[in-house]
Amino acid sequence: MTTVAAYAATAADSPLVKTTIERRELGPLDVLIEIRYAGICHSDIHTARNEWGGTRYPVVPGHEIVGVVSAVGSDVTRHAVGDRVGVGCFVDSCLECEACTSGDEQYCTERVTGTYNAVGRDGEVTQGGYSTHIVVTEHFVLKIPDGLALDAAAPLLCAGITLYSPLRHWGAGPGRKVAVIGMGGLGHVGVKIAAAMGAEVTVLGHSLAKREDGLRFGAVDYRATTDPQTFVDLRDTFDLIVNTVSVNLDMDAYLSLLARNGTLVELGLPEHPLTLRAFSLARNRRSLAGSMVGGIPQTQEMLDFCAEHGIGAEIEVVPADRIDEAYDRVVASDVRYRFVIDATTI
């Protein structure tokens, strides 16, 4: 085992503290990564503060990890020392079920192993990217293309693939009208990706406060959902709507915005069950679906796409001793649009 520095949550109501954790020795198929940046995802906050329950303390959050390979196991063929690499939301799966062999490791029937707060095959609790180093099996390590800055690439390992996957699956592209509900840490990346895919993008925001940003990111329209006229003007309009917010919305109102055969994809995880009228789906043969991140092949595809189109997250880099401040600002929606931790300060 190798001892490395990290920042960990020790209780739901306590600040994160600097500590040390043990990383496993390099196995034949393992990659040792010197972490340069780790994005702050709202999931990190939910876990650190036990808002979803089931947090195994102490926990080192972080599943938007980028860095440089510093050592590889004897059988590693995909990565070499000095490579720019990333690690996303999971670090293991069975690799044998139909989902895994199809490149959908995130839906592994044996249950995918999360990058943190999960129990690995060795029985140890996984610890994430708020750390100086991490050891990951080569299959779950992504290449960061040279066209992407490491700091702006970090949030793509979660926010980027969370949006890219449904946009790709449900066919965002030329001739398609796509709406993004919410333009925060997830939504702003979705606007950029959908626009780069060639779709006609509309942002549905709570207010018009971010309208200028939305148009700069590639949207052709930006509407306030607090204005009832929005739902009149845009009725039966969109082929695809992706919902990035984690609050309970009036599903019937948003479903009414779908054109014939349109789909609304839920990405946010609201506190309460969704409620809707069956007629909202029956009319126009609409669909309601869900999605979660993407598999390893698609995540690499997303990174390559973003590099080709110059897409990165809009970020504010913070030192490790300001993680708790960043958490509070995320909860207060006081960031445009993602925080990234400078792991060299850990």
Side-chain angles (χ1 to χ4, degrees):
M1 305 289 282
T2 301
T3 301
V4 302
Y7 270 77
T10 59
D13 56 354
S14 299
L16 275 72
V17 295
K18 187 170 183 177
T19 185
T20 58
I21 59 173
E22 300 297 322
R23 297 296 192 190
R24 69 174 184 263
E25 291 296 333
L26 218 59
L29 292 174
D30 285 339
V31 177
L32 174 63
I33 301 167
E34 179 186 338
I35 301 172
R36 299 288 175 82
Y37 297 98
I40 292 178
C41 176
H42 210 134
S43 299
D44 300 349
I45 302 172
H46 290 311
T47 301
R49 297 178 176 179
N50 201 30
E51 293 169 350
W52 286 341
T55 299
R56 301 172 174 91
Y57 294 107
V59 61
V60 176
H63 57 205
E64 298 176 345
I65 304 166
V66 292
V68 176
V69 175
S70 57
V72 297
S74 58
D75 294 338
V76 170
T77 59
R78 300 183 184 185
H79 308 285
V81 172
D83 284 357
R84 292 154 35 98
V85 294
V87 177
C89 297
F90 49 91
V91 291
D92 202 4
S93 69
C94 78
L95 297 179
E96 296 177 353
C97 70
E98 192 276 333
C100 285
T101 56
S102 298
D104 280 335
E105 296 94 338
Q106 75 275 27
Y107 301 126
C108 176
T109 57
E110 299 301 317
R111 187 170 292 183
V112 68
T113 301
T115 303
Y116 62 84
N117 199 47
V119 178
R121 297 189 199 187
D122 58 3
E124 297 295 324
V125 176
T126 56
Q127 303 292 354
Y130 296 8
S131 174
T132 59
H133 296 77
I134 191 170
V135 177
V136 181
T137 304
E138 70 165 337
H139 179 86
F140 298 91
V141 178
L142 289 307
K143 294 185 181 297
I144 304 297
D146 290 338
L148 289 175
L150 283 182
D151 53 1
L156 298 180
L157 275 303
C158 178
I161 188 58
T162 296
L163 271 299
Y164 185 89
S165 189
L167 290 169
R168 185 85 160 79
H169 182 81
W170 278 278
R176 302 275 284 176
K177 294 184 177 181
V178 174
V180 177
I181 303 174
M183 205 180 74
L186 288 175
H188 88 284
V189 179
V191 173
K192 291 184 177 186
I193 291 174
M197 288 178 169
E200 181 181 307
V201 184
T202 295
V203 178
L204 301 174
H206 183 71
S207 72
L208 298 179
K210 299 177 181 176
R211 182 177 185 276
E212 185 177 334
D213 282 353
L215 299 180
R216 177 166 58 88
F217 297 154
V220 299
D221 197 6
Y222 196 115
R223 299 295 186 99
T225 56
T226 48
D227 181 357
Q229 191 62 36
T230 293
F231 294 89
V232 175
D233 294 344
L234 299 180
R235 186 177 178 86
D236 301 336
T237 293
F238 300 107
D239 301 297
L240 175 64
I241 300 174
V242 288
N243 178 23
T244 71
V245 302
S246 292
V247 297
N248 286 91
L249 302 176
D250 181 346
M251 297 303 296
D252 298 300
Y254 285 92
L255 287 167
S256 76
L257 304 181
L258 289 172
R260 181 169 54 89
N261 297 323
T263 301
L264 190 159
V265 183
E266 276 289 318
L267 303 179
L269 300 172
E271 179 181 359
H272 303 292
L274 304 179
T275 59
L276 66 147
R277 295 183 298 119
F279 183 79
S280 296
L281 293 175
R283 187 179 185 281
N284 266 351
R285 200 161 53 203
R286 297 164 175 144
S287 298
L288 176 63
S291 180
M292 57 174 285
V293 295
I296 295 301
Q298 192 176 66
T299 304
Q300 188 63 60
E301 177 184 301
M302 176 274 302
L303 290 167
D304 295 341
F305 178 90
C306 288
E308 179 184 352
H309 294 274
I311 296 171
E314 303 290 311
I315 62 169
E316 181 177 335
V317 178
V318 295
D321 60 5
R322 289 178 54 197
I323 293 173
D324 289 289
E325 175 190 335
Y327 274 17
D328 290 338
R329 287 181 56 192
V330 170
V331 173
S333 299
D334 180 26
V335 58
R336 289 196 178 182
Y337 284 84
R338 293 297 293 261
F339 283 113
V340 172
I341 301 164
D342 180 352
T344 67
T345 64
I346 294 175

